[in-house]
């Protein structure tokens, strides 16, 4: 991964391959943002005018490259747009900084060292710039020959303007490094093709990481799942040549007074099962384990940060395939909770594996359960592909989850769980069915999950089907493919719990 360093040198005097500067959108054209004063001086104070000449406006997402002026210790200046400047006395929006740093890092793929002379006034800004650079520099090249493309990432981002001897600034960079590494780990898992990342391989990856980071891990294999009565997970996994797994990975802290349970949907490939998905709907379905990847990343990040809170991750891993042993539409599954479910559509598999994991997680009476899942196409239709939906059995908690996501720059929106929709998944044969009303399908899925949450436990459900996998052109710090959606929100929830802010 890209290294982030803090430098005492000014941007002008630091030896590098490129200097990144910020540009805001002024009433009379682009303006050089704070942090790049020394660079502007090398341009005789005409950096903004030069940028305007070549068409820069300071708009968010804009990148303008200029040959450096004489006297600078780098050959290239990369100006990134920050959008409107904050009001006098206000600080820059952290998300604008993250995105700008991400855009810059992305445009510097393959470069060895770039200095980042962006407005790094306080620790929050330092953290945002470091996070954006680390996430923007991400590239997934495992399956590409070095010769064709695969330039690799920016090797080093040296932040100028920050104070290397300031404890808060140093801690901010350490936090950014820990969290970004876990977002990127989630991205790697999501991008790994499903022939290589099956439930067994995923579980093995967690076991290896658990050793490295001192986490406690337990893996239930198909025998244990059968014996334990995990009818939902088994029912979804039984059509695949690679059997399912339920992984419990726990980080504990001696001084913790609270425990959070994170539950992730880990369908390593969703073919739809017997209710097979048509072409056009299955090409990206390796992303259907994004929830489990986010949970895994968040547990590891909590450990790296040493947060005084217990975080238990539950990864419900299965491959949804239409093999000879597959569950049929019409089958009834007996779930871990004892509830019977008539499977009307084998493509509504996520709620089945999650139901078992949520019921199992409930047995440990955590202070809250938060599940993360690429659960429904309906949520993508409702919110678009850049926002996840948040549902909860507690409106106040839902609001707090939303606030945590917002502060991390993860776009999301609170969604209701309308009681009228509950009866739409009544079944004539079993206790309930795995499908109900199509209108409001994302909310129906949420209501289904609610059935499996233990009595009195606070629960939230994040449907990340939209933002988990990015198919369009990269933007900000978001690459094509797996995004690592929800990792930062989950870590923020763990941190807020540790700080006594969530409960
Ligand atoms: N994994 C899909 C949901 C999905 C869709 C994720 C698009 C990412 C992008 C899920 O398992 C699914 O197939 N859901 C069905 C549910 C329906 C059959 C009730 C859906 O949304 O169509
Ligand atoms: Mn499905
Ligand atoms: Zn699915």
């Amino acid at each position: 991964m890209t290294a982030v360093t803090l430098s005492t040198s000014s941007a002008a005097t630091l030896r590098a391959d490129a200097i990144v500067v910020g540009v805001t959108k002024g009433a009379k054209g682009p303006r050089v943002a704070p942090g790049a004063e020394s660079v502007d001086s090398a341009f005789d104070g005409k950096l903004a005018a030069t940028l305007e000449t070549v068409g820069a406006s300071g708009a968010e997402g804009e990148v303008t490259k200029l040959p450096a002026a004489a006297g600078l210790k780098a050959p290239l200046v990369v100006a990134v747009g920050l959008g409107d400047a904050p009001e006098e006395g206000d600080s820059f929006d952290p998300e604008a900084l993250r995105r700008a740093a991400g855009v810059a890092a992305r445009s510097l793929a393959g470069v060895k060292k770039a200095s980042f002379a962006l407005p790094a006034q306080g620790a929050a800004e330092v953290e945002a710039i470091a996070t954006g650079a680390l996430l923007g520099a991400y590239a997934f090249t495992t399956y590409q020959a070095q010769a064709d493309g695969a330039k690799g990432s920016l090797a080093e981002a040296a932040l100028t303007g920050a104070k290397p001897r300031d404890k808060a600034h140093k801690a901010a960079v350490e936090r950014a490094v820990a969290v970004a590494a876990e977002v990127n780990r989630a991205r790697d898992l999501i991008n790994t093709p499903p022939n290589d990342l099956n439930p067994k391989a995923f579980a093995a990856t967690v076991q290896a990481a658990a050793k490295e980071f001192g986490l406690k891990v337990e893996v239930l294999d198909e025998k244990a799942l059968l014996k334990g009565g995990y009818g939902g997970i088994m029912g979804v996994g039984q059509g695949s040549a690679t059997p399912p797994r339920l992984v419990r990975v726990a980080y504990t802290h001696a001084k913790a007074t609270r425990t959070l349970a994170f539950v992730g949907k880990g369908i390593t490939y969703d073919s739809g099962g017997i209710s097979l998905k048509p072409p056009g709907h299955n090409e990206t379905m390796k992303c259907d384990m994004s929830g489990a990847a986010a949970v895994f990343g968040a547990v590891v990040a909590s450990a790296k940060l040493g947060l005084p809170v217990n975080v238990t991750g539950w990864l419900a891993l299965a491959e949804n395939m239409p093999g000879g042993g597959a569950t049929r539409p019409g089958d009834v599954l007996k779930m871990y909770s004892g509830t019977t479910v008539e499977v009307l559509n084998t493509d509504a598999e996520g709620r089945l594996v999650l139901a078992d994991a949520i019921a199992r997680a409930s047995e440990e009476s955590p202070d809250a359960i938060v599940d993360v899942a690429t659960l429904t196409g309906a949520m993508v239709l409702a919110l678009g592909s850049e926002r996840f939906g948040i549902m909860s059995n507690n409106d106040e908690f839902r609001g707090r989850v939303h606030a945590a996501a917002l502060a991390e720059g993860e776009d999301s929106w609170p969604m209701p769980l309308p009681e009228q929709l509950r009866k739409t998944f009544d079944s004539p044969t079993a206790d309930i069915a795995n499908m109900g009303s199509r209108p409001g399908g994302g909310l129906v899925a949420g209501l289904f999950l609610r059935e499996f949450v233990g009595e009195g436990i606070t629960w939230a459900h994040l449907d990340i089907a939209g933002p988990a996998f990015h198919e369009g052109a990269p933007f900000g710090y978001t690459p094509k493919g797996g995004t690592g959606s929800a990792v930062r929100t989950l870590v923020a929830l763990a941190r807020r719990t540790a700080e006594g802010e969530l409960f």
Side-chain angles (χ1 to χ4, degrees):
M1 200 167 79
T2 309
V4 175
T5 54
L6 291 176
S7 173
T8 38
S9 314
S10 75
T13 55
L14 186 67
R15 210 169 280 287
D17 301 297
I19 307 170
V20 176
V21 303
V23 194
T24 58
K25 225 171 135 177
K28 291 184 252 134
R31 298 183 48 136
V32 177
E37 293 79 3
S38 65
V39 183
D40 194 20
S41 301
F43 279 85
D44 293 331
K46 295 197 182 85
L47 180 54
T50 309
L51 285 166
E52 189 171 22
T53 308
V54 293
S57 69
E60 280 184 35
E62 180 186 86
V63 187
T64 314
K65 292 188 176 178
L66 292 178
L72 294 175
K73 293 278 183 293
L76 175 70
V77 172
V78 179
V80 283
L82 285 162
D84 294 328
E87 301 282 320
E88 188 69 36
D90 282 0
S91 8
F92 276 82
D93 170 28
E95 181 62 1
L97 293 175
R98 276 184 218 109
R99 291 194 182 203
V103 167
R106 209 151 35 71
S107 80
L108 291 166
V111 169
K112 265 177 106 173
K113 178 173 179 176
S115 54
F116 280 62
L118 292 169
Q121 280 112 337
E125 287 83 4
V126 170
E127 185 169 350
I129 295 165
T131 301
L134 289 164
L135 295 180
Y138 174 82
F140 183 70
T141 54
T142 315
Y143 291 81
Q144 287 170 330
Q146 209 59 37
D148 353 312
K151 277 199 258 175
S153 303
L154 169 66
E156 182 184 346
L159 274 50
T160 59
K163 302 183 196 75
R165 275 179 282 279
D166 181 317
K167 268 198 184 138
H169 285 201
K170 260 180 28 197
V173 171
E174 279 164 20
R175 274 199 305 275
V177 169
V179 176
E182 295 316 311
V183 174
N184 288 340
R185 183 199 301 275
R187 290 171 171 181
D188 277 347
L189 285 165
I190 298 163
N191 290 330
T192 300
N195 54 333
D196 279 352
L197 192 84
N198 56 40
K200 214 175 143 188
F202 198 151
T205 303
V206 177
Q207 270 166 326
K211 238 188 179 161
E212 187 180 346
F213 301 105
L215 307 169
K216 191 170 169 230
V217 62
E218 286 162 64
V219 177
L220 299 190
D221 63 10
E222 68 273 27
K223 276 195 207 118
L225 290 168
L226 199 62
K227 197 163 163 229
Y230 293 86
I233 298 174
M234 282 307 288
V236 172
Q238 72 195 34
S240 165
T242 314
R245 297 283 184 265
L246 175 62
V247 177
R248 178 187 187 275
V249 55
Y251 161 68
T252 53
H253 189 283
K255 295 210 179 91
T257 58
R258 300 281 187 188
T259 300
L260 287 176
F262 295 154
V263 178
K265 171 177 174 181
I267 301 299
T268 58
Y269 184 70
D270 183 11
S271 74
I274 298 295
S275 313
L276 199 63
K277 283 184 190 291
H281 292 262
N282 53 23
E283 295 83 351
T284 60
M285 279 303 137
K286 67 175 181 183
C287 82
D288 216 18
M289 35 56 72
S290 296
V295 165
F296 176 35
V299 174
V300 176
S302 302
K304 283 182 172 176
L305 297 172
L307 298 176
V309 58
N310 299 326
V311 183
T312 311
W314 298 90
L315 281 52
L317 309 176
E319 190 185 35
N320 189 23
M321 294 290 276
T327 292
R328 313 152 192 82
D331 281 357
V332 172
L333 303 176
K334 187 161 182 174
M335 310 293 280
Y336 182 75
S337 67
T339 304
T340 56
V341 176
E342 182 179 15
V343 178
L344 294 178
N345 189 320
T346 62
D347 199 13
E349 84 297 341
R351 63 197 74 182
L352 298 172
V353 299
L354 286 169
D356 277 0
I358 289 172
R360 175 64 188 87
S362 296
E363 289 180 350
E364 300 183 358
S365 304
D367 292 290
I369 296 177
V370 179
D371 79 71
V372 187
T374 45
L375 205 58
T376 65
M379 197 54 60
V380 190
L381 295 181
L383 296 178
S385 43
E386 283 173 24
R387 255 167 198 69
F388 58 79
I390 310 171
M391 285 145 270
S392 176
N393 57 2
N394 177 325
D395 286 355
E396 197 182 322
F397 187 65
R398 185 187 61 187
R400 290 182 181 184
V401 174
H402 184 215
L406 199 66
E408 296 300 316
E410 293 213 276
D411 288 330
S412 59
W413 204 251
M415 298 295 276
L417 291 172
E419 289 308 328
Q420 303 95 299
L421 291 175
R422 165 58 194 85
K423 61 182 178 304
T424 69
F425 56 93
D426 280 347
S427 158
T429 314
D431 295 331
I432 50 176
N434 78 329
M435 236 191 93
S437 160
R438 279 218 180 256
L443 319 178
V444 169
L447 284 162
F448 181 94
L449 297 180
R450 191 185 66 176
E451 298 286 310
F452 298 88
V453 178
E455 187 78 34
I457 299 179
T458 302
W459 156 80
H461 158 56
L462 315 184
D463 189 338
I464 61 166
F469 198 83
H470 181 57
E471 292 185 70
F475 66 92
Y477 50 81
T478 304
K480 247 185 180 335
T483 63
S485 174
V487 172
R488 290 180 293 141
T489 297
L490 292 181
V491 177
L493 291 176
R495 192 174 53 237
R496 287 174 184 218
T497 302
E499 287 163 2
E501 287 170 16
L502 208 60
F503 303 102

